Amino acid sequence: MKKSFREVLKEGRFIVTSEVGPPKGTNVDRMVQIIELLKDKVDALNVTDNQGSVMRYPSWGGCFLIVEQGGEPILQVTCRDRNRLAIQQDLLFAHSRGIRNVLCLTGDSIDVGDHKEAKPVFDLDSVQLINLVQSLNSGKDIGGNQLDSPTDFCIGACTTASAEPIEPHLIKLQQKIDAGIQFIQTQAVYDLDQFKRFMNYLCKLNKDVKVLAGIVLLTGPRMAVFLNENVPGIFVPQPLIDQLQVAPKGKALSVGIEIAGRTIREIKEEGLCDGVHIMAIEKEEVVPQILEVAGL
Amino acid sequence: MKTITAQKSFEEILEVLERTERVYIVGCGTCATMCQTGGEAQVLQMKERLEQAGKIVTGWMVIPTACDDLTKEALGEQAEGINQAQGILVMACAFGVQTVVSWTDKPVCPALNTLFIGKEDVPYQFSEVCIQCGECILGWTAGICPVTSCTKGLLNGPCGGTKKGGKCEIDKEKDCAWVLIYQRLESQDRLDLMRKYKRPKDYRVVKRPGRIKLSEDLLKRSF
Ligand code: SF4
Ligand code: SF4
């Protein structure tokens, strides 16, 4: 039996999580393979929730598969597509199927996705969502009504370490920490000096929350530029884009793996934070190689 | 405060007027004139285009304020032209359209889309600053409304998408509402207000459609 993520958080060793993106459709073969490949190599696997506002197979569906395959899932929940009733209902279902970790997110704007005409919900924001899960954990729904049994979720949140100005984000992070989160998975980290500054700020808050630095695999220079231009909250520095640019034909992905592995190694060696969260979007099969470069 | 409107495409207007050969046009002298969507100039332009499209315009007028009670009288005064028409095209906001609807039995069709209730920043530039949520939180947010100005209407701080320089994730030209709130609260030395947890909104506050009748007591009370 795999150790629960909650226990891993308490062990004090370097934590590694990764994530899988569900399919656009009903064919889960690839996702099942990725889960099989990664479930024992990482401490937990996130499943994204209509990432980038692109409609996909549900996050809890992917998490359910992870449970079935003996892995440890982290359910990503955003506020964009569901009101408070729907979110709670999904969480009850997830809990009944053995899903015990929830990552509470705001969700990207509808405008970046593939259903631009849809109505954005945002009935709650991410801080309110964390409070909602706490409420279910205490045996009540967010309306204050008694549940027949409480949930027992380990709650995480996301933050961005590279925002400018950073202060409003730190205040929000403090609100999330005050609401009782147990772990943080950050948005992509490329600039370690900036990340150190972020961790310094965070240390001042002096709270017992595990921080996993986000590592987004760069598959080539075009992807890096795309991330900078289109993905909210990610900033790839120019020197890294240059490294990918000069890579020989067909070798850019290897360079990306090298960059990701190197970053993880540095984070671990310098003890910058408690672990990493590796996001290899649509290239999850190379996560073992990244871990190898990182020496994990 | 003005109701901000934009003109519908002429194709859409023609589609709704498909079975209406004789049309009477109503414009509005207030918001729609300010937005240049339903003032005299636009009414005359519409008249010309409709005639070019083979319609008969039986008359037109620009009511000073189409959403006002006086609309009833104005329609009465223009009874002749209106009676000859099979339908009325209203170049006013939806409040004006519905006011006309309530005083006539003729089919009424809007020529404008009503976008938002906004204020005029400088001539011909309007912005939405309040969506009438019924639970005003401006006291906690340095007078800047995140319900309206944040793309996601977030109540507790910025989302992770804020772009460099404090711009919103969906628009490099638009300031992130929460960065503005932060800056203003900081300059007022009131950042504690930003740390305060704002609970989820109560959507019962205004039952839609909103309807209110001031009570006798309230009317008698003097402040
Ligand atoms: S919080 Fe915003 S939308 Fe609500 S009443 Fe106040 S200004 Fe209007
Ligand atoms: S960037 Fe700022 S204004 Fe835009 S959605 Fe996020 S919090 Fe709201």
Side-chain angles (χ1 to χ4, degrees), chain B residues 129-138 145 147-148 201:
Chain B
V129 293
C130 169
I131 59 162
Q132 300 91 48
C133 75
E135 245 190 341
C136 196
I137 60 160
L138 288 177
C145 173
V147 180
T148 310
K201 267 203 147 341

Side-chain angles (χ1 to χ4, degrees), chain A residues 10 17 40 68 70 73 75 85 99 111 113-114 134 137 145 153 200 219 263:
Chain A
K10 287 193 195 120
T17 58
D40 295 321
E68 273 185 342
L75 176 74
L85 275 82
I99 296 160
D111 305 63
D114 70 348
Q134 291 289 16
N137 277 353
N145 310 296
F153 285 117
N200 281 340
T219 55
T263 312

